[in-house]
């Protein structure tokens, strides 16, 4: 039969940004968790989407677990980086973690696509995806394809647009 293309996706971002909620929404309805709890370490989720088989490494964003992220850079074909658009106080922390990722030896020379979700767009304090993009200085990323989508993971809004972009860009 047809060989499905296997894609390893690494999901990064600060704790409470909505990573697990997003991954859960992307899974088939009958395999979705009813309740989302803070991730300990990381979880591996597998699901299919049209022509691709995804293996997602859903990392914990808690500071004590962020040192685990770098061990998965090498084997990843794409990165989903989630930002809580309403968390103005920690936007600078999110930028620091993004910078650390972008400057890592296993990432520097890799044309790995990065999909950003400016999540929690439903909250009143949420910044627009354009503003989030400016605060994270995304325009400086010239050597990798990247895309930012506003999303509401609780309702699943904006997620398919992001996934569609990723499907055309996975390396
Ligand atoms: P860690 O596993 O600790 O790194 O966090 P996480 O990034 O996986 O966040 P998680 O998916 O656990 O979501 C954290 C909280 O944010 C949960 O209470 C979610 O229901 C909530 N949440 C996620 N996405 C949205 C969103 O788009 N809007 C709103 N209002 N809440 C959201
Ligand atoms: Mg999580």
């Amino acid at each position: 039969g047809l060989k499905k293309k296997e894609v390893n996706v690494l999901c990064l971002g600060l704790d409470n940004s909505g990573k697990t909620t997003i991954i859960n929404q992307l899974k088939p309805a009958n395999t979705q968790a009813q309740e989302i709890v803070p991730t300990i370490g990381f979880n591996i989720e597998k699901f299919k989407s049209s022509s691709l088989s995804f293996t997602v490494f859903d990392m914990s964003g808690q500071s004590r677990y962020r040192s685990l992220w770098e061990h998965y850079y090498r084997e990843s074909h794409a990165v989903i980086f989630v930002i809580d658009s309403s968390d103005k106080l920690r936007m600078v922390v999110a930028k620091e973690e993004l910078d650390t990722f972008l400057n890592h030896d296993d990432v520097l020379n890799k044309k790995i696509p990065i999909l950003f979700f400016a999540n929690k767009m439903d909250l009143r304090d949420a910044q627009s995806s354009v503003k989030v993009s400016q605060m994270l200085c995304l325009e400086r990323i010239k050597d990798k394809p990247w895309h930012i989508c506003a999303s509401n993971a609780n309702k699943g809004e904006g997620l398919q647009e992001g996934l569609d972009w990723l499907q055309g860009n996975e390396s």
Side-chain angles (χ1 to χ4, degrees), residues 14-21 23 36-43 58-61:
L14 300 186
D15 49 295
N16 198 49
S17 57
K19 299 178 293 299
T20 303
T21 309
I23 302 308
I36 304 292
V37 293
T39 306
I40 306 293
F42 64 94
N43 290 316
D58 174 21
M59 307 304 291
S60 167

Side-chain angles (χ1 to χ4, degrees), residues 11-24 36-43 58-63 65-66 69 82-84 86 90 118-124 151-157 159:
C11 192
L12 305 175
L14 300 186
D15 49 295
N16 198 49
S17 57
K19 299 178 293 299
T20 303
T21 309
I22 287 174
I23 302 308
N24 193 50
I36 304 292
V37 293
T39 306
I40 306 293
F42 64 94
N43 290 316
D58 174 21
M59 307 304 291
S60 167
Q62 289 179 55
S63 54
Y65 294 120
R66 282 178 214 153
W69 294 4
V82 183
I83 302 106
D84 177 347
S86 73
R90 292 205 301 164
N119 195 35
K120 306 201 183 184
M121 65 173 183
D122 54 297
L123 295 181
R124 202 210 307 206
S151 63
N152 172 352
N154 280 344
K155 289 201 165 169
E157 291 166 4
L159 304 183

